[in-house]
Amino acid sequence: MRGELAENILPLTLPAEDILEHAMALAHNENCLARLRMTARKIFDDGLERVAHRPSDLSASGIL
């Protein structure tokens, strides 16, 4: 996890009330949610692009 998304990884040792408080604050912040959606989408699209090129990369390297 990287960037803004990493800020939402909470330790399992936190009390449930603290986790709920964090989740509720996030749910009520539309600007933050929009940024997180865009960040997550970019990470997904970047990964999808890497996967799309992987067979040709593996073939060019002689692995496939």
Side-chain angles (χ1 to χ4, degrees):
M1 197 70 51
R2 64 183 190 217
E4 264 187 294
L5 297 179
E7 296 171 11
N8 294 302
I9 303 297
L10 303 175
L12 295 176
T13 56
L14 278 181
E17 295 83 16
D18 291 351
I19 295 171
L20 180 60
E21 184 178 320
H22 180 83
M24 294 301 291
L26 181 60
H28 288 98
N29 187 336
E30 290 183 30
N31 291 332
C32 184
L33 287 176
R35 282 192 323 272
L36 290 171
R37 273 193 300 273
M38 288 183 346
T39 300
R41 184 59 193 220
K42 178 162 179 17
I43 292 168
F44 176 82
D45 288 342
D46 290 349
L48 192 58
E49 187 174 329
R50 281 193 307 273
V51 168
H53 292 101
R54 187 161 186 194
S56 61
D57 292 345
L58 293 174
S59 181
S61 68
I63 295 174
L64 287 179

